Amino acid sequence: MASAPRNGRTNPHHHQRCLSYVAQQLTSIGWAVERQELHVRNTLGIADNPNPVWPLGWHHNLTGTKIVATWGTSAPALVLIAHHDTVGRSPGADDNASSVAALLEVAKIIARSGTSRRIILGIVDLEETGHQGSRNLAARLANTEPIAAAIAFDAIGYYTTGPGSQQLPGLLRGLVIGAKPGRRPAGDFLAVVSRGSSADIAAAWCGNAERYQLGTLQVRDPRNDGRRGMGTFARPWLLDLDRSDHASFQRLGIPAVLVTDTANLRSRHYHRPTDTPDTLDVERIAAAALATADLATQPQSLTGRP
């Protein structure tokens, strides 16, 4: 996937080639797979530009494709989601081929487990332009079946061990569970962002990760789900916690968790041509996949509400 940018606007051939690969991989192990097209016109979103982070842009016509794969019938469903698109000039190994690769491995473990739990895999598009793919998926799912929770994966493969290599925005440090005062930590963990409704799910995922020697750091978003949590502009420093596809589910009142290596708060390769597979820690990506598969296949592990 990370041999070239995956972008329907600047590199449509490789973009579609990767989608076909993902669909074929899931179909071959028994998942029910559907390709869903998405057309977005005249909307405010994120500009396809690596600097600065969160630049606004007006999109006249966007076309995307998402892969939606389903397993099992025992409701309510657990949604696992990752975006496959990149910005125009980046091959996106960490952001976000690392997450798609992990979810393909999770899908294989689920298929071998024989679980009957309802699990939905969403490999979505148009995250880099404003989460339009996940918003469309969340709205569709909310209208068709009960959802227990969603877990979004966004950039999970880049790690550093140098002291102070992890940035933590000052106003967000108070939201880190168990944060220690003093110097910045090394960037050798995955951050797991949750709200009150998804706190138990985040804690369960972190517990699984620890069994595979994968370090985690929990971040508790103080806002509520749904309309009551949309007053972000009164606290703009919380925007950093909305920068991925989990936010699309939280807006609809669905408990959601984000798992991330924190992207540009750690990696100098974020949204750049240097975001290549040789910069990633494959063993830690595998550990994240195993932690997720444990959560998905153990009936007692999910306490989210439908």
Side-chain angles (χ1 to χ4, degrees):
M1 290 185 67
S3 60
R6 300 176 299 283
N7 188 305
R9 300 169 300 286
T10 62
N11 194 359
H13 174 72
H14 189 61
H15 181 256
Q16 290 298 318
R17 181 170 168 242
C18 290
L19 282 165
S20 297
Y21 171 78
V22 170
Q24 184 275 327
Q25 289 288 304
L26 292 169
T27 301
S28 69
I29 57 175
W31 286 68
V33 178
E34 181 183 359
R35 291 173 68 121
Q36 298 178 357
E37 301 298 322
L38 172 66
H39 302 279
V40 180
R41 291 180 174 85
N42 297 321
T43 184
L44 182 66
I46 307 302
D48 189 354
N49 181 357
N51 289 304
V53 176
W54 279 88
L56 296 178
W58 185 260
H59 299 290
H60 295 285
N61 187 13
L62 291 173
T63 300
T65 304
K66 59 182 180 295
I67 302 294
V68 181
T70 56
W71 184 274
T73 58
S74 182
L78 170 64
V79 180
L80 305 176
I81 187 169
H83 73 89
H84 64 82
D85 59 312
T86 70
V87 294
R89 66 174 188 163
S90 176
D94 186 36
D95 184 18
N96 192 29
S98 63
S99 299
V100 176
L103 288 191
L104 289 178
E105 293 301 318
V106 172
K108 293 176 184 178
I109 297 172
I110 289 170
R112 291 196 300 265
S113 74
T115 182
S116 63
R117 170 179 282 176
R118 180 70 166 166
I119 301 169
I120 301 171
L121 248 61
I123 308 299
V124 298
D125 205 350
L126 303 181
E127 189 272 348
E128 299 291 359
T129 55
H131 313 155
Q132 289 91 352
S134 60
R135 289 190 185 193
N136 179 268
L137 177 62
R140 284 193 179 198
L141 294 178
N143 289 325
T144 57
E145 60 182 294
I147 304 297
I151 305 178
F153 301 86
D154 196 349
I156 63 168
Y158 185 81
Y159 300 84
T160 59
T161 57
S165 55
Q166 177 67 54
Q167 297 182 51
L168 291 175
L171 290 174
L172 294 181
R173 292 183 185 181
L175 305 180
V176 177
I177 298 175
K180 298 179 180 179
R183 298 198 309 173
R184 297 185 310 197
D188 58 356
F189 59 86
L190 284 177
V192 182
V193 182
S194 65
R195 294 185 180 181
S197 63
S198 53
D200 289 347
I201 301 164
W205 195 93
C206 291
N208 290 346
E210 290 174 5
R211 291 203 299 272
Y212 297 106
Q213 290 76 54
L214 177 60
T216 60
L217 183 151
Q218 292 189 60
V219 181
R220 183 67 53 80
D221 187 334
R223 293 169 292 176
N224 295 314
D225 291 332
R227 294 181 180 274
R228 291 183 300 168
M230 295 182 68
T232 305
F233 291 103
R235 294 175 287 181
W237 49 277
L238 292 175
L239 283 172
D240 262 329
L241 302 182
D242 290 340
R243 285 176 48 195
S244 196
D245 292 311
H246 66 300
S248 298
F249 291 84
Q250 291 171 336
R251 290 187 184 97
L252 297 181
I254 298 171
V257 171
L258 170 65
V259 178
T260 178
D261 62 23
T262 74
N264 61 298
L265 296 179
R266 177 185 303 175
S267 175
R268 65 182 183 278
H269 306 294
Y270 174 72
H271 281 189
R272 299 186 181 278
T274 53
D275 184 7
T276 52
D278 59 289
T279 65
L280 305 186
D281 188 322
V282 179
E283 290 187 359
R284 283 189 169 104
I285 297 173
L290 290 167
T292 306
D294 286 351
L295 190 75
T297 57
Q298 295 170 3
Q300 72 279 13
S301 64
L302 191 62
T303 58
R305 53 177 169 76

